[in-house]
Amino acid sequence: MVNTLENIQTLSAEAIALLKNLIETPSFSKEEENTARLIADFFTGKNIPFHTKKNNLWAYNKHFDASKPTMLLNSHHDTVKPNKSWTLDPFKAIEQDGKLYGLGSNDAGGCLVSLIATFCHFYEREDLTYNVAIATTAEEEISGKEGLEIVAPELPEIAFAIVGEPTEMHLAVAEKGLLVLDCTAKGISGHAAREEGDNAIYKALKDIQWITEYKFPKVSPTLGPIKMSVTIINAGTQHNVVPDVCTFTIDVRVTEQYTLEEVIAEIKANIQSEVTPRSIRLRPSSIPMDHPIVVEGLKLGRNAYGSPTTSDQALLDCPSLKMGPGHSARSHSADEFIYLHEIEEGIAQYIKMVEGVVTR
């Protein structure tokens, strides 16, 4: 099917209208029921059947065939809360000078409606070699457990995914995972005036020194080295008591060169403190440079890079590509906006890339 300019313009107009409604409907993480309803109404208006779980919706192309592989389009409809620096009404969709202002316009409303438009474009196609699924999900901004994580088990096996986040439509072919480790150094209390006790702070400092200096040997070609940062430390009750406990927290940004379990094991083997991971959910992700969807993106002149930030890619157990209209620097900023032309161009580029894969 030829992607005419008229078709793209129609899809874009529908996407922008939906985005304006989403902006004007508050959808903080865990409070997305009203935007979920808007998306449901949009699908209903298109006669597209969909499934729901909590504040998540997902749908499949009309001619879904279980014998074919499935690609997933995914983005989120929750937002952070507006910061105090906003000069505009964050819940009013304001169109001005080619920009659409409003909370969630850039992160990730523009991506979401562009992927919905892409899904609609392919929905009735009978010539696809892949099924096309879309999941519009909740709680991404807080890495919550009732977003994509509860949808993924309901989906068929996913061959690959496009996760919509603002990347200027460049190709984030790898993304760092996140480990948060709570550590406890234990000593023996005593009076600070005498040679008593075993100071837990000093034990923690030795471990922190190792964390500061250690370099994991395998370096990612796209993400660089693993990065470890001690971000919280607590110890002591009063000035004249040698502390018997010192706790500290390590923020670890993990590349695709290691599993989270391997990183935890390496840290435990080299420090004395007890190490407790808060979770092992947010895993690093990547997609091969020769994957067809990446190749199609490169054909369009898009750049490939590794992303240091974490998204819902971390919850997918398949090759995944992060990309979408908008600019990450605008995310969570005051007077957030997306350019209207970014949405139209994003839809066109998504469609060209997907077309090159699902009609082979």
Side-chain angles (χ1 to χ4, degrees):
M1 178 179 292
V2 177
N3 301 325
T4 64
L5 177 61
E6 182 180 357
N7 179 45
I8 298 297
Q9 289 175 336
T10 298
L11 289 169
S12 299
E14 294 175 345
I16 290 167
L18 175 59
L19 179 53
K20 288 178 177 178
N21 286 335
L22 292 170
I23 288 169
E24 297 189 347
T25 306
S27 56
F28 304 140
S29 302
K30 291 186 176 292
E31 301 174 17
E32 311 96 341
E33 57 274 4
N34 290 327
T35 47
R37 192 172 298 115
L38 281 176
I39 296 167
D41 290 345
F42 181 87
F43 283 146
T44 299
K46 291 281 189 181
N47 295 314
I48 297 175
F50 57 89
H51 308 267
T52 62
K53 192 169 187 178
K54 299 287 186 178
N55 293 328
N56 307 284
L57 295 88
W58 67 98
Y60 305 110
N61 58 299
K62 184 175 183 178
H63 301 286
F64 181 91
D65 182 346
S67 68
K68 295 178 181 179
T70 299
M71 70 164 293
L72 174 67
L73 309 176
N74 165 249
S75 193
H76 64 95
H77 58 100
D78 63 315
T79 71
V80 297
K81 294 183 177 180
N83 64 51
K84 295 180 180 179
S85 298
W86 275 78
T87 64
L88 303 172
D89 182 347
F91 302 111
K92 185 172 178 59
I94 299 172
E95 190 175 330
Q96 182 178 315
D97 298 328
K99 302 174 183 177
L100 180 59
Y101 290 90
L103 184 66
S105 57
N106 180 78
D107 184 13
C111 304
L112 175 67
V113 298
S114 298
L115 286 172
I116 290 174
T118 302
F119 173 78
C120 290
H121 173 81
F122 289 101
Y123 176 69
E124 295 199 16
R125 296 275 293 272
E126 298 184 54
D127 60 335
L128 305 181
T129 56
Y130 279 74
N131 299 308
V132 181
I134 188 163
T136 68
T137 48
E139 296 193 11
E140 191 274 346
E141 293 291 5
I142 59 170
S143 300
K145 294 186 177 182
E146 293 190 337
L148 182 58
E149 189 165 359
I150 63 171
V151 172
E154 306 287 341
L155 302 175
E157 182 177 355
I158 301 300
F160 72 95
I162 298 176
V163 176
E165 291 286 341
T167 68
E168 299 178 277
M169 291 302 288
H170 292 302
L171 315 174
V173 295
E175 177 184 272
K176 285 187 175 180
L178 172 63
L179 266 179
V180 180
L181 304 177
D182 291 315
C183 305
T184 303
K186 294 183 177 179
I188 301 171
S189 62
H191 198 295
R194 298 189 289 268
E195 295 297 325
E196 292 180 353
D198 185 8
N199 197 316
I201 293 177
Y202 298 160
K203 287 189 167 185
L205 286 174
K206 291 180 181 178
D207 290 343
I208 292 170
Q209 186 67 28
W210 179 85
I211 293 160
T212 302
E213 297 176 350
Y214 184 73
K215 306 295 182 186
F216 283 84
K218 291 188 286 186
V219 176
S220 167
T222 52
L223 295 170
I226 286 178
K227 187 175 187 301
M228 295 192 290
S229 304
V230 175
T231 54
I232 302 170
I233 185 167
N234 289 290
T237 56
Q238 58 190 62
H239 77 89
N240 58 352
V241 177
V242 173
D244 60 351
V245 174
C246 179
T247 62
F248 58 96
T249 299
I250 317 172
D251 178 295
V252 189
R253 304 294 167 148
V254 184
T255 73
E256 82 287 358
Q257 298 294 308
Y258 293 87
T259 66
L260 301 188
E261 291 83 356
E262 288 171 336
V263 172
I264 293 168
E266 184 70 6
I267 293 171
K268 284 184 174 180
N270 284 279
I271 69 175
Q272 296 182 56
S273 300
E274 296 177 358
V275 178
T276 304
R278 293 186 185 176
S279 85
I280 52 171
R281 297 168 56 241
L282 303 179
R283 298 179 177 275
S285 56
S286 64
I287 191 168
M289 288 293 295
D290 60 355
H291 192 284
I293 196 67
V294 176
V295 172
E296 291 299 323
L298 294 174
K299 285 181 184 177
L300 297 178
R302 314 320 294 165
N303 299 323
Y305 71 102
S307 172
T309 58
T310 300
S311 73
D312 271 349
Q313 273 187 290
L315 303 174
L316 292 171
D317 188 21
C318 66
S320 58
L321 174 67
K322 182 169 72 176
M323 68 177 300
H327 194 300
S328 62
R330 301 181 210 139
S331 299
H332 306 178
S333 65
D335 298 339
E336 179 183 354
F337 69 89
I338 189 166
Y339 286 101
L340 295 173
H341 73 81
E342 290 178 313
I343 295 174
E344 182 170 331
E345 291 165 5
I347 292 169
Q349 289 172 8
Y350 276 144
I351 288 175
K352 286 179 182 178
M353 289 172 60
V354 173
E355 184 86 26
V357 176
V358 303
T359 58
R360 288 187 173 195

